[in-house]
Amino acid sequence: MEQNKKARILQGNEACAEGALVAGANFFAGYPITPSTEIAEYLARNLPRRGGKFIQMEDEIASIAAVIGASIAGAKAMTATSGPGFSLMQENIGYAYMAEVPCVIVDVQRGGPSTGLPTKVSQSDTMQARWGTHGDYHAIALAPSSVRECFGLTIRAFNLAEKYRTPVILLMDEVLGHMREKVILPEPDEIKVFNRMKPTVPPEWYQHFEINPHFVSPMASFGEGYRYNITGLTHDPLGFPTSRPEEIEAKLNKLEKKITSNVNDIVRVEEEFMEDATIAVFAYGIVARAARQAIRMAQHKRIRVGLIQPLTIWPFPDIYMEQMSEQLEAIIVAELNQGQLLGEVMRTNCGKTKVYGLNRFDGDILTPEQIFAKIREVR
Amino acid sequence: MEIIPAVTYTYLRSKKKFPNVWCAGCGIGIALGAIIRAIDNLKLDRNDVAMVSGIGCSSRMPVYVDFNTLHTTHGRALAFATGVKLANPKLKVIVITGDGDGLAIGGNHFIHTCRRNIDITTILINNSTYGMTGGQYSPTTPFMKIGTTAPYGNRERDFDICNLAKSAGATFVARGTVYHVTLLEKIVQQAILKKGFSLVEVISHCHTFYGRLNKEGTAVKMMEWQKEHAIPIQAAAKLPPEKLKDKFLIGTLWDVDFPEYCEEYDKVIAQFQVPPEDSEGKK
Ligand SMILES: Cc1ncc(C[n+]2csc(CCOP(=O)(O)OP(=O)(O)O)c2C)c(N)n1
Ligand code: SF4
């Protein structure tokens, strides 16, 4: 079987776009921005070939708005951007949390703030992916570290969005987006695709924001005969604006619980050499690759160091990190920013382990040598 | 007392959502009545109607009616509606917006949606102010009129919405008022029937803020102003220029044909679909 599968040379951005197609995406709206543009270009070419639709909107605010509108009309929809566009999208991403609209937002990160470094790598939108829009809400964000993972985690982003009726953010970065690698992609029939739950009740009984024990309500699309209201105002289960304290609390609880009561399903952590490690490198996205290499170098020197690579960065792997704090003496949090998940690692570790930041924010990636040097330093 | 035709009630989510948020005497409800009657005249299936709005007093309209209703973020209704329409072109998409929502914060989406010529009917309620936030000046507040944020008179010029839409590429442009309510019903109906982007500007009044700040009197007085200042486009052709001074035109101002965006995109898709006979032949 394996021989039949064609190895392909794909760019991270292309792998992401290909993943979207395999996940069943049939709508993309976006606005060009480096280093994400190849995703839009790939989908402009390939969506109509499969009966899907691509539209270039007038800005990123319109792009995410069109994506949400399309999802409400039944499409599996995605947009892709980078920092400045991600900032512009924030108000409407909040709308998608509030209105519980499944969609995928890809942020191929570049250096910031502002226009920053259009062609250079960064992981400085990590916190924005969690706290970018105003209000109380719970985010899902995934971070791939290879071209293969760009493909797989884009599919996963769609699956989680559909399963939990929520926007999901895929945090890539410039190097990952532009890097080409040989990948062997699974056949479509080997891939699990999850589609949103549909109502089984007659329209008179339908509540678009029904509160049930799973905290996720079935979702009818516009045009399917259910005729409901959607608003970004805090609303009751029927979707009508409310100012009743008990309804407000129930709504915000629902947004919280559908994520926090499902962390076991949503959170994924990859690890390497962690069985007997006393030191861990905590790294995600492109940095995890360099960390893997650094750990091999350290293993050669008989240093007991392992890798913790969260594939899900939001919700943060609290439970896993709490467990690890019992075993570890030191954690190095390696990031291409001034220390964003560093604080989360410290929070979950409650002072049990020494936590060190290894931060690079000059537009280049952390090298295996730099990480290895840090391992030797903290050891 | 006027008897409201029973048909209007059947379109209202009357059990759930009334009383409404609008001030007694506001023009927005009159516009809603005209829109409902237009839809009823056209015998549209309500399951196929999607009403999309932004934020503002006017944008509260969809919540009250029994269609697929989407109350979005401030200024972005047209962008949400573009996604809805493109994903399901069978839906009749009607956007309700205000002068602030549609032309200030949403101005970019407005011109681009006109240009794209996607089959969306936009009804822009122009009350010359930001009603919901309490009477600040808007892109359609006339020069030297008062707003709470223009206490010494507005020093900016106002938009001519219909001209803007026409220049940006809308294929159907009409203006009505909440005073001329039968005309409004008629042009909304025409706008919905139009294949392409259509805009209906509805001159309305916000007596609560704009009227009070500018000493323009009650809702009734402000509607009388509409009556006195609106000239039907057919009549205007026969009038000398001095009679048109300080007046505005109502009726269908622009109606042209241009390929509609969703249909054009379907042609893109169609070229990749192999006809069944061909695929047989290839094997
Ligand atoms: C991003 C954002 N900015 C500001 C507001 C506050 N706001 C709500 S309604 C409104 C003005 C609405 O004016 P208009 O569209 O003319 O509608 P009207 O209330 O007059 O019908 C503003 C500024 C908001 N809701 N969102
Ligand atoms: S504030 Fe003005 S626009 Fe809003 S409902 Fe009252 S009268 Fe109408």
Side-chain angles (χ1 to χ4, degrees):
Chain A
M1 274 310 274
E2 275 295 312
Q3 297 106 303
N4 293 342
K5 284 186 200 159
K6 264 212 320 235
R8 296 167 67 180
I9 302 284
L10 274 185
Q11 197 192 41
N13 281 340
E14 291 169 348
C16 165
E18 190 57 37
L21 292 173
V22 172
N26 53 7
F27 189 94
F28 181 98
Y31 189 81
I33 184 167
T34 307
S36 76
T37 309
E38 293 84 1
I39 298 174
E41 289 170 341
Y42 193 93
L43 291 171
R45 276 195 307 277
N46 290 300
L47 270 172
R49 289 172 177 270
R50 307 186 185 207
K53 294 184 176 168
F54 169 93
I55 187 167
Q56 181 172 305
M57 296 298 286
E58 51 274 17
D59 57 30
E60 288 85 349
I61 303 174
S63 301
I64 179 70
V67 159
I68 296 168
S71 180
I72 289 166
K76 289 178 82 169
M78 174 172 110
T79 185
T81 187
S82 188
F86 193 46
S87 292
L88 282 179
M89 288 181 186
Q90 290 301 332
E91 187 194 7
N92 282 340
I93 294 176
Y95 185 91
Y97 287 123
M98 184 56 120
E100 306 187 53
V101 182
C103 57
V104 173
I105 300 118
V106 182
D107 174 10
V108 187
Q109 296 169 92
R110 62 194 227 179
S114 190
T115 312
L117 300 161
T119 59
K120 283 190 177 279
V121 68
S122 168
Q123 293 181 316
S124 51
D125 301 348
T126 301
M127 279 293 168
Q128 194 184 15
R130 173 64 186 89
W131 300 109
T133 194
H134 58 279
D136 273 331
Y137 57 96
H138 288 259
I140 301 179
L142 313 178
S145 69
S146 65
V147 170
R148 179 65 183 75
E149 279 177 8
C150 288
F151 174 83
L153 289 190
T154 304
I155 298 171
R156 185 149 202 269
F158 269 99
N159 284 347
L160 291 172
E162 294 282 318
K163 191 167 182 182
Y164 296 111
R165 256 187 78 174
T166 189
V168 173
I169 291 157
L170 185 77
L171 272 186
M172 293 178 35
D173 61 67
E174 187 277 331
V175 169
L176 210 44
H178 285 158
M179 173 171 83
R180 286 178 193 278
E181 276 189 293
K182 184 174 133 188
V183 283
I184 296 172
L185 299 182
E187 295 298 319
D189 59 7
E190 296 169 87
I191 292 165
K192 255 185 45 202
V193 168
F194 194 96
N195 290 320
R196 65 192 70 167
M197 224 191 327
K198 287 289 185 180
T200 49
V201 298
E204 316 81 85
W205 297 0
Y206 179 65
Q207 298 192 330
H208 191 63
F209 299 100
E210 163 196 284
I211 293 181
N212 60 32
H214 319 290
F215 305 103
V216 184
S217 332
M219 180 171 173
S221 304
F222 274 15
E224 290 181 338
Y226 286 84
R227 296 206 306 274
Y228 52 89
N229 185 59
I230 302 184
T231 176
L233 288 165
T234 307
H235 45 260
D236 65 16
L238 287 167
F240 293 123
T242 184
S243 46
R244 290 205 186 124
E246 66 279 11
E247 286 179 345
I248 297 169
E249 197 175 294
K251 172 75 201 189
L252 293 183
N253 258 331
K254 181 181 187 234
L255 293 187
E256 185 207 327
K257 290 280 163 35
K258 73 176 173 183
I259 306 299
T260 55
S261 66
N262 289 300
V263 286
N264 286 340
D265 181 43
I266 301 168
V267 172
R268 290 275 185 285
V269 180
E270 292 261 300
E271 51 174 46
E272 226 175 280
F273 304 116
M274 283 303 293
E275 310 74 48
D276 60 351
T278 53
I279 303 173
V281 177
F282 179 100
Y284 56 100
I286 191 67
V287 180
R289 279 173 94 96
R292 251 172 237 277
Q293 186 67 27
I295 282 158
R296 297 224 157 69
M297 290 155 82
Q299 292 276 336
H300 265 298
K301 302 267 182 229
R302 304 193 183 286
I303 304 172
R304 288 186 3 213
V305 56
L307 171 72
I308 300 173
Q309 182 203 349
L311 294 174
T312 309
I313 56 173
W314 302 116
F316 191 75
D318 282 23
I319 300 167
Y320 176 86
M321 291 306 288
E322 277 159 22
Q323 285 164 356
M324 280 302 144
S325 65
E326 305 295 334
Q327 168 187 336
L328 293 169
E329 283 160 20
I331 305 177
I332 297 164
V333 184
E335 301 178 272
L336 301 178
N337 56 43
Q338 293 182 332
Q340 297 200 9
L341 285 191
L342 178 65
E344 295 299 301
V345 173
M346 285 173 159
R347 175 178 63 79
T348 47
N349 159 280
C350 302
K352 289 184 188 146
T353 312
K354 289 201 183 94
V355 180
Y356 303 88
L358 175 59
N359 304 95
R360 187 162 186 180
F361 42 87
D362 62 355
D364 273 323
I365 51 171
L366 277 164
T367 62
E369 290 72 23
Q370 283 173 312
I371 299 171
F372 178 52
K374 190 74 183 179
I375 294 169
R376 293 183 77 158
E377 183 191 313
V378 308
R379 179 190 168 195
Chain B
M1 207 186 116
E2 194 205 346
I3 299 184
I4 301 170
V7 59
T8 316
Y9 284 119
T10 70
Y11 285 88
L12 298 180
R13 287 167 168 159
S14 45
K15 266 182 260 161
K16 280 151 204 153
K17 281 338 291 171
F18 281 73
N20 60 50
V21 294
W22 299 313
C23 307
C26 178
I28 298 169
I30 302 175
L32 172 58
I35 294 165
I36 289 177
R37 287 189 297 278
I39 291 172
D40 190 66
N41 296 343
L42 292 170
K43 303 273 170 290
L44 300 182
D45 182 340
R46 1 188 133 181
N47 289 324
D48 295 338
V49 177
M51 195 182 263
V52 184
S53 68
I55 298 289
C57 293
S58 34
S59 292
R60 274 300 185 102
M61 191 187 287
V63 181
Y64 302 114
V65 278
D66 185 21
F67 302 121
N68 302 283
T69 54
L70 182 59
H71 177 236
T72 71
T73 48
H74 192 28
R76 318 301 173 194
L78 284 168
F80 279 81
T82 297
V84 171
K85 180 71 187 178
L86 192 51
N88 184 358
K90 283 206 299 285
L91 293 169
K92 276 277 167 207
V93 180
I94 300 172
V95 166
I96 309 294
T97 181
D99 42 287
D101 190 67
L103 295 173
I105 192 164
N108 197 29
H109 311 307
F110 183 82
I111 55 174
H112 287 280
T113 318
C114 289
R115 176 182 63 77
R116 206 171 272 131
N117 197 34
I118 186 164
D119 186 21
I120 291 173
T121 304
T122 297
I123 296 163
L124 190 154
I125 315 269
N126 179 5
N127 57 13
S128 305
T129 192
Y130 288 6
M132 178 147 275
T133 42
Q136 298 77 26
Y137 75 99
S138 89
T140 59
T141 304
F143 188 66
M144 287 315 282
K145 290 287 182 180
I146 308 292
T148 57
T149 47
Y152 311 115
N154 173 30
R155 305 290 162 137
E156 299 178 21
R157 267 184 302 173
D158 54 326
F159 267 136
D160 178 332
I161 301 174
C162 290
N163 261 337
L164 177 66
K166 181 182 150 189
S167 320
T171 46
F172 180 94
V173 178
R175 187 187 286 121
T177 80
V178 292
Y179 176 84
H180 304 84
V181 71
T182 45
L183 173 76
L184 185 58
E185 183 179 319
K186 207 181 99 206
I187 57 180
V188 168
Q189 206 169 309
Q190 278 176 279
I192 294 172
L193 282 176
K194 180 73 187 183
K195 191 86 185 163
F197 185 83
S198 52
L199 172 85
V200 178
E201 177 188 358
V202 185
I203 305 290
S204 186
H205 52 274
C206 171
H207 53 298
T208 304
F209 295 111
Y210 184 86
R212 190 166 48 77
L213 287 165
N214 288 286
K215 304 193 170 45
E216 291 189 5
T218 60
V220 175
K221 271 254 164 339
M222 292 181 81
M223 287 178 77
E224 280 169 4
W225 180 92
Q226 293 164 20
K227 177 188 168 192
E228 283 151 19
H229 289 78
I231 312 240
I233 178 146
Q234 298 85 348
K238 294 170 212 135
L239 291 174
E242 62 274 15
K243 291 253 174 182
L244 295 176
K245 205 169 163 285
D246 295 332
K247 302 287 196 295
F248 60 88
L249 300 183
I250 53 171
T252 303
L253 309 181
W254 182 248
D255 187 357
V256 292
D257 288 313
F258 191 80
E260 193 273 329
Y261 180 79
C262 295
E263 290 188 346
E264 286 304 301
Y265 201 89
D266 281 342
K267 290 184 198 163
V268 177
I269 294 175
Q271 63 183 327
F272 296 113
Q273 281 167 348
V274 185
E277 317 86 81
D278 280 28
S279 64
E280 291 267 305
K282 266 182 202 154
K283 278 179 185 166

